[in-house]
Amino acid sequence: MSAFALRNISKSYGTNSILNDVSIEAEDGEFIALVGPSGCGKSTLLRIAAGLDHGDAGSIWMGDREITAEHPADRNVAMVFQSYALYPHLTAEQNIAVPLAMRTLSTLQRMPLLGRFIAGRSAAQAAIKQQVLATATSLKIDHLLDRKPGQMSGGQRQRVALARALVRQPGVFLMDEPLSNLDANLRVHTRAEIVDLHRRTGVPTIYVTHDQSEALSMADRVAVMMGGKVLQFASPAEIYDDPRHVEVAKFVGSPRINIIDAVTADNGTVFFSGKAVVDGVTGPVGTPVQLAIRPERIRLRPQGTKGIAATVTRLEFLGSEVLVTTQADGAGDGIVIKAAPADVTHLGIGSPVTLEIDRDACLVFGLDGLRVPLRATARVAVDA
């Protein structure tokens, strides 16, 4: 049984469908990333999970307990917002203590003046203070407890927001693009802290992001969402190496995967620039397909060697690698290759080259966007 599950969730605003039969299940200790372009429904799904919004259909489960109709405060769910949502007039210690105070202290005990005379308040506050200190120490922000949000950096505020979520010991963490307000270097550092925090606590986590590098590097499984649907839900390696939909292939990976329009020939062979690249594609002769190849699965070879003739049209130096854009017959907008700097020192704009394609890495998609299966007896063509 899943530790936390969203099953068949749908949501519309008027005639605008936001979520269409979306299901996500997280196991104990699992880190799930929801990734997709802006407007695909990721944050709406997270708000429904937290009880801040309601779906039109579907159910939400915490283990074997359905919580669809429960009040947000009763769900044992902790949410970290993109904007941190800290109280600006409270110190870090007071912000972290808020969920514990709401859970532990009665309404009278929380009153500033009258509360001090209510039995049990002092003991409860001492226990809360101890929990806050332990949580802050684990996140290395115990030295910030007396500061207010305006006196802290973005990264420090984010860790306070994480501590506030962690201190209540929730059944599941929900994180809505928590790193989007940080600069690039701090994002990399903080995402490592979040992964470390998740491993130490073992709390199932659903993490929303539009950054595919965050999703691939942090998550145990990734759900790629587009148009209110989950196109694929699998491990990062499977999402990258074995995408089931062309939009998943396009969205995941930097630089973007090369897409070439082609048609099938005899025996289901797909040709690129006059060379047979893949065979065994199912379907009748002349079926339009899309051939997809990752930039790192194409190698540059000297002109005249066996392969596909092309011309360099652009060079982009990125430090440890160079992106080489080339043009070949039938390649449309061109083919991008990842290369080591030492391999392209002799190249310039207009240089003739040969492209050697890793045939085992070629993916074929139909015009409906779905992967086209290869026949079991298919072999990779050998004349490219």
Side-chain angles (χ1 to χ4, degrees), residues 91-245:
T91 64
E93 180 179 8
Q94 291 167 331
N95 267 287
I96 297 169
V98 165
L100 293 180
M102 296 299 293
R103 175 187 293 179
T104 307
L105 301 178
S106 68
T107 302
L108 289 177
Q109 287 175 325
R110 293 198 301 270
M111 297 182 67
L113 298 178
L114 181 60
R116 70 183 65 179
F117 301 107
I118 304 299
R121 171 172 150 155
S122 296
Q125 284 186 320
I128 289 172
K129 187 178 184 69
Q130 185 175 4
Q131 282 184 263
V132 168
L133 179 59
T135 303
T137 301
S138 71
L139 291 174
K140 300 178 182 178
I141 55 170
D142 47 305
H143 62 291
L144 302 175
L145 290 178
D146 60 345
R147 298 188 194 178
K148 293 183 178 180
Q151 299 171 308
M152 293 183 281
S153 67
Q156 291 170 335
R157 289 196 295 270
Q158 184 56 266
R159 273 178 280 185
V160 171
L162 288 170
R164 184 179 58 186
L166 176 63
V167 76
R168 62 180 296 175
Q169 299 178 329
V172 64
F173 277 129
L174 305 176
M175 300 189 182
D176 188 9
E177 301 199 41
L179 308 183
S180 61
N181 291 329
L182 305 181
D183 62 56
N185 288 334
L186 190 55
R187 264 204 313 273
V188 173
H189 177 72
T190 307
R191 77 188 188 195
E193 289 185 335
I194 290 175
V195 171
D196 181 62
L197 170 66
H198 170 261
R199 287 174 179 165
R200 284 189 282 114
T201 62
V203 177
T205 299
I206 299 180
Y207 183 101
V208 163
T209 180
H210 63 274
D211 186 334
Q212 45 108 356
S213 64
E214 281 185 16
L216 295 179
S217 64
M218 298 174 72
D220 298 308
R221 285 192 294 164
V222 177
V224 181
M225 292 185 63
M226 292 189 186
K229 298 180 180 180
V230 175
L231 296 187
Q232 190 168 353
F233 186 26
S235 69
E238 185 175 345
I239 291 288
Y240 187 82
D241 294 325
D242 191 23
R244 310 315 299 170
H245 196 285

Side-chain angles (χ1 to χ4, degrees), residues 11-19 44 47-48 53-54 56:
K11 177 69 176 179
S12 297
Y13 293 104
T15 58
N16 187 19
S17 177
I18 305 300
L19 296 170
T44 300
R47 290 177 59 83
I48 291 173
D53 203 345
H54 299 285
D56 300 329

Side-chain angles (χ1 to χ4, degrees), residues 333-352:
D333 294 332
I335 301 295
V336 177
I337 300 100
K338 271 187 182 180
D343 294 337
V344 298
T345 54
H346 62 291
L347 296 182
I349 305 303
S351 295

